[in-house]
Amino acid sequence: MTVVLADAQPVVRRGLHALLSPSAEVTVVAEAGTTREAMRSVASLRPDVLVLDVELPGFQVGVTLQEIARMSPSTAVLVFTAVEDEASVFAAMRAGARGYVLKSCPGDGIVRTIRGLATGEVILGPRVADQIVRQLGREPRNQQLFPELTTRERQVLELIASGMRNGAIATRLSLSPKTVSNHISTIFSKLNVSDRHEAIEVARKARLERVGSYGPGSHPLPGGGAPSVRAHGGTPRPAAGGSAAYAGARSTER
């Protein structure tokens, strides 16, 4: 997998490069010290993962991340930063970042994070994930995403978003594989999507947009489920009121 490192501090870029170089799976193809340099690298190289700091000179969360997505839709953006306030976390995730990890992350954690993002996961550092879990506990219980879906269809969508395949969903919900397949077809039709990837993206965007609608200081993630926050060697910890994992979200820091 190919990676671009974007950070204003050369020492941080060198450190990340040194951490990633021993991995045969990862190739650092460029470094950038400004937002303009990062975007130029993304446009020309289309890396699998862009690692960037929200304090990068010239960075504007919505504008920058949306432009990166336009130039290279397949590039997963990992925010790797010392900034951990709620507003920055949710703004970055709403704008399309697929990971948010603090610079206190151990070296092996950042390597695992980059691997995970390259395979489609959404990954949060533990303090970031804890913020989301706390906000989930304050979510109004009478507000649900996707009211056009039945309760069972929402359960199936949550499990799809967690990365489960049909057989595992059938086992979890005590349904036949055929029934799960029928539910998924109905979900795709109601959400106007063509495959699992699109369904996951629709669910993710809807959840994060709901977060933004609560305004500063109150950013609950929405409706019916919760992220499963997993530290390596640990077990999932659903948030209050939640029942299923969200978009493959997990923690890679210890």
Side-chain angles (χ1 to χ4, degrees):
M1 70 195 73
T2 56
V3 177
V4 169
L5 305 175
D7 195 288
Q9 301 299 320
V11 67
V12 174
R13 299 198 303 270
R14 286 197 297 268
L16 286 172
H17 203 149
L19 283 170
L20 297 173
S21 293
S23 173
E25 303 171 68
V26 180
T27 302
V28 177
V29 294
E31 296 183 16
T34 67
T35 298
R36 179 174 294 182
E37 291 174 0
M39 294 177 73
R40 187 182 304 126
S41 295
V42 168
S44 61
L45 300 170
R46 299 184 181 275
D48 295 308
V49 179
L50 169 64
V51 181
L52 63 77
D53 189 345
V54 294
E55 295 185 301
L56 198 68
F59 182 81
Q60 295 178 288
V61 60
V63 173
T64 300
L65 294 184
Q66 288 169 16
E67 180 63 13
I68 288 168
R70 186 192 67 77
M71 293 187 300
S72 182
S74 63
T75 296
V77 176
L78 169 64
V79 175
F80 183 62
T81 185
V83 178
E84 59 179 308
D85 63 276
E86 278 188 7
S88 296
V89 171
F90 286 107
M93 299 302 289
R94 284 199 304 274
R98 294 194 63 83
Y100 201 110
V101 175
L102 300 181
K103 287 183 176 178
S104 55
C105 174
D108 59 346
I110 190 66
V111 175
R112 290 194 300 271
T113 296
I114 289 172
R115 288 182 185 139
L117 262 68
T119 59
E121 293 184 78
V122 173
I123 301 179
L124 306 173
R127 293 209 295 271
V128 173
D130 284 346
Q131 288 181 354
I132 293 174
V133 168
R134 286 195 300 271
Q135 299 304 334
L136 275 165
R138 300 204 290 268
E139 177 191 350
R141 292 295 184 260
N142 62 346
Q143 297 185 25
Q144 290 183 322
L145 288 177
F146 309 118
E148 67 270 40
L149 301 183
T150 66
T151 299
R152 179 65 83 189
E153 288 164 357
R154 281 193 292 271
Q155 290 173 338
V156 171
L157 178 59
E158 288 173 6
L159 296 177
I160 291 172
S162 77
M164 282 191 180
R165 308 307 298 176
N166 289 17
I169 294 173
T171 300
R172 171 69 69 86
L173 298 179
S174 300
L175 301 173
S176 71
K178 176 63 174 175
T179 298
V180 170
S181 180
N182 290 340
H183 281 313
I184 291 173
S185 295
T186 301
I187 291 167
F188 288 178
S189 176
K190 288 182 177 181
L191 299 185
N192 195 28
V193 300
S194 59
D195 55 32
R196 300 174 88 91
H197 176 74
E198 288 186 10
I200 290 170
E201 286 301 304
V202 166
R204 174 177 176 271
K205 288 177 181 177
R207 287 172 182 270
L208 291 171
E209 285 169 4
R210 167 81 64 86
V211 169
S213 71
Y214 284 80
S218 178
H219 301 282
L221 278 173
S228 174
V229 181
R230 185 190 300 275
H232 281 275
T235 56
R237 297 183 297 141
S243 60
Y246 164 60
R250 61 183 177 89
S251 165
T252 59
E253 299 176 42
R254 292 190 182 91

